[in-house]
Amino acid sequence: MDLGLSGKHIVITGGSKGIGLAIVNGFLQEGAFVHVISRGIMNREDIRDITNYEAQIFEYHCDVTLEEELYVVFEAINKNANCMIDAVVANVGNGAGKTLPVTEKDEWDASWNINFNSSANTTRIFLNALKKSHGSLIFISSIAGEEFIGAPTSYSVAKHALLSFTKILSHRLAPEVRVNAIAPGNIYSEDGTWGKKKKENPSAVHHMLNEKVPLKRFGYPEEVAALVLFLTSEKASFITGSCINIDGGQTIRFS
């Protein structure tokens, strides 16, 4: 499907592995210019057909929870994108943490920074650029922000706040900028959380999938990426303020 993304300039935070890397690959294959922000160094071997896409990918390093670092990166991206940034995908997050009712302040603050402030900083810094392009802003949230699934409290609260942020922004930025969220469920990658759990206790993972997920399998980063690409494209031009789950049916609420 031609999504009309060729030549667009897309910014992706947390794009060096997992879901973020799959999103990077998806946009490259659509012919977009992709600006990847991450703390780590991207392994170029993870980019499919990298020799074909070398001219389309730009890499920047910073901690997006630090607004001053991100602003420096924004200036570089704006220059490389000829002052036309068409979409931003805020993908930074980390579900690690204790499942205590309320964790220690240091852990709580760290989780809030990476799971909410990273997206708030990204929005604040790239907002005027998105208004100029009438672009799209997408947050990667989690089903843990929608209902209780046993995830760490701090993570769930931060991801829920991100959904409120999505809805508020969608009203206050319309019609210039479309704002949506995606809430993945159990997404598998070998070097991710579920990859580790599967190696440690495959029978427990198999039981969880059969009991909790109607489709009885993991989702994959490429499936999340496909949804991101669609929401960014003009084919989703009437979608804003939405949170779309990609969880194999795991969530059980009616709304």
Side-chain angles (χ1 to χ4, degrees):
M1 180 186 295
D2 181 8
L3 294 174
L5 296 170
S6 180
K8 301 291 187 182
H9 285 270
I10 314 295
V11 177
I12 302 167
T13 67
S16 63
K17 60 183 179 180
I19 290 173
L21 179 61
I23 295 170
V24 169
N25 275 314
F27 277 113
L28 289 174
Q29 289 164 26
E30 287 290 324
F33 295 98
V34 182
H35 302 265
V36 185
I37 303 174
S38 65
R39 288 187 298 181
I41 303 295
M42 173 178 286
N43 184 354
R44 291 300 178 106
E45 293 180 0
D46 290 331
I47 303 296
R48 297 174 192 162
D49 304 320
I50 184 59
T51 54
N52 297 327
Y53 298 129
E54 195 70 58
Q56 291 173 231
I57 189 167
F58 302 83
E59 191 174 359
Y60 314 83
H61 303 291
C62 83
D63 183 343
V64 295
T65 68
L66 302 175
E67 193 171 353
E68 60 276 14
E69 286 191 16
L70 186 56
Y71 184 77
V72 173
V73 165
F74 163 74
E75 291 286 299
I77 292 174
N78 209 31
K79 181 178 179 181
N80 289 332
N82 298 315
C83 299
M84 187 54 68
I85 296 168
D86 298 287
V88 174
V89 182
N91 173 60
V92 170
N94 189 327
K98 301 183 181 73
T99 55
L100 298 170
V102 182
T103 58
E104 298 87 349
K105 186 177 185 304
D106 286 350
E107 182 177 311
W108 186 279
D109 289 347
S111 181
W112 183 260
N113 269 332
I114 197 166
N115 293 303
F116 182 81
N117 284 343
S118 62
S119 293
N121 289 344
T122 302
T123 301
R124 191 177 295 114
I125 288 174
F126 285 91
L127 183 56
N128 286 335
L130 289 175
K131 285 181 178 179
K132 178 182 176 182
S133 67
H134 283 231
S136 174
L137 175 61
I138 296 177
F139 298 120
I140 305 299
S141 183
S142 168
I143 61 171
E146 296 184 308
E147 63 183 40
F148 179 74
I149 60 171
T153 305
S154 55
Y155 175 74
S156 297
V157 170
K159 289 299 190 181
H160 183 72
L162 200 54
L163 300 183
S164 297
F165 196 40
T166 300
K167 182 63 74 174
I168 292 167
L169 289 175
S170 71
H171 281 258
R172 292 184 172 168
L173 296 179
E176 288 88 356
V177 182
R178 291 189 301 111
V179 186
N180 292 291
I182 292 172
N186 302 310
I187 306 299
Y188 181 86
S189 60
E190 286 191 12
D191 59 350
T193 300
W194 283 111
K196 295 174 184 175
K197 288 183 177 180
K198 188 176 180 180
K199 289 177 183 176
E200 293 168 358
N201 195 338
S203 61
V205 169
H206 179 77
H207 177 77
M208 182 281 296
L209 291 173
N210 278 278
E211 290 295 314
K212 301 290 186 181
V213 183
L215 292 186
K216 301 186 185 305
R217 69 170 177 88
F218 285 115
Y220 294 95
E222 292 75 16
E223 293 174 303
V224 180
L227 180 55
V228 171
L229 267 64
F230 171 73
L231 284 177
T232 304
S233 76
E234 283 300 306
K235 295 183 183 298
S237 61
F238 199 53
I239 302 176
T240 193
S242 294
C243 175
I244 301 178
N245 288 11
I246 180 163
D247 66 350
Q250 183 175 349
T251 48
I252 58 175
R253 71 195 193 289
F254 287 106
S255 62

